[in-house]
Amino acid sequence: PSFNNLILLKDSIPIVPSHISKREETIKELLHSCNKNWLAIYGLYDTGKTQLAILIHHFLKLETFWISCKDIDRQVFIQKILGSFDAVDEFDLLSKLSQLKGDQKKLIVLDDLIDFGQNEKIDTFFNNFIRGCIDNNIFIISTSNYKIHNNIKTIHNDFIYEREVILLSEQETLEIIESYFILKSFVKYK
């Protein structure tokens, strides 16, 4: 696939299930609060972080590059990021990020990030990657089971908005229930 005329090895953006709230009010509130380049969503396992990132992607309608870090070992994290951009090293990666800068804002979603703060080489690499995104006006959404470690957060504090995943509101829960009712009614009268 190409992304701004670069050949990249991005992951597919997950499909939104049919029985889901679009969460537009939650997304509007979240984006209004986030006037930063990086929205970091964290929370417990299976609380809807990825789903929220997908919905934000659909809401923003930006050209999106999705990188899934789910089930990757910490030791292959650097290779996953480099490989996603078909970059041979960090310098090549930063060069490719600079090619993404343009009139239209871009979005990179880093889904299921690893827990940082355990390997200085990985932390430094990731800090440089984030700096490259920020320098090139690329909006970042990350999801993780962990809060962003201080080794990362302190360097990017002016550019990061970290938020625990927002659980469904009453209205959003009703939207899901109604979607099942509408489907059953449609099938019944078919």
Side-chain angles (χ1 to χ4, degrees):
S2 69
F3 187 67
N4 207 41
N5 298 321
L6 290 174
I7 302 301
L8 303 174
L9 307 170
K10 63 183 179 179
D11 295 313
S12 297
I13 299 170
I15 298 171
V16 178
S18 58
H19 299 291
I20 188 169
S21 166
K22 299 287 188 234
R23 304 193 74 183
E24 287 185 9
E25 292 306 313
T26 296
I27 291 169
K28 286 177 186 174
E29 180 272 321
L30 188 58
L31 293 174
H32 178 73
S33 300
C34 176
N35 58 351
K36 311 271 182 160
N37 291 66
W38 180 10
L39 170 59
I41 302 168
Y42 70 93
L44 298 174
Y45 294 90
D46 294 325
T47 52
K49 299 175 296 292
T50 297
Q51 199 169 73
L52 187 56
I54 296 166
L55 293 171
I56 293 170
H57 150 73
H58 285 289
F59 183 84
L60 292 174
K61 297 180 174 93
L62 296 176
E63 189 173 4
T64 300
F65 188 79
W66 194 280
I67 302 173
S68 175
C69 301
K70 188 175 181 82
D71 300 325
I72 67 164
D73 183 84
R74 177 172 285 100
Q75 300 309 315
V76 298
F77 176 76
I78 292 174
Q79 288 310 118
K80 172 68 177 183
I81 300 297
L82 290 173
S84 295
F85 289 89
D86 198 27
V88 294
D89 57 24
E90 190 174 321
F91 180 77
D92 190 27
L93 174 65
L94 296 175
S95 172
K96 291 190 177 188
L97 287 174
S98 71
Q99 293 175 45
L100 297 178
K101 190 173 188 172
D103 296 336
Q104 301 289 358
K105 194 165 186 87
K106 307 290 189 290
L107 170 63
I108 294 178
V109 178
L110 302 165
D111 191 30
D112 281 316
L113 274 180
I114 63 173
D115 187 17
F116 293 101
Q118 300 177 29
N119 182 303
E120 187 177 338
K121 179 181 175 184
I122 294 171
D123 290 358
T124 300
F125 171 86
F126 188 67
N127 278 325
N128 291 336
F129 171 71
I130 292 297
R131 171 53 60 195
C133 291
I134 291 167
D135 289 347
N136 291 291
N137 199 29
I138 299 168
F139 185 55
I140 306 157
I141 297 174
S142 65
T143 68
S144 182
N145 297 321
Y146 315 98
K147 285 181 129 186
I148 300 297
H149 193 275
N150 282 338
N151 290 357
I152 310 296
K153 196 175 352 184
T154 53
I155 292 174
H156 305 291
N157 198 43
D158 291 342
F159 303 100
I160 185 172
Y161 177 69
E162 189 173 37
R163 178 80 185 261
E164 188 168 10
V165 67
I166 302 166
L167 301 178
L168 292 171
S169 69
E170 182 179 342
Q171 178 61 37
E172 292 165 344
T173 304
L174 290 173
E175 286 176 26
I176 295 169
I177 293 168
E178 287 173 4
S179 76
Y180 281 97
F181 178 73
I182 291 168
L183 180 63
K184 284 182 180 179
S185 297
F186 177 72
V187 171
K188 184 178 177 181
Y189 293 111
K190 201 172 180 188

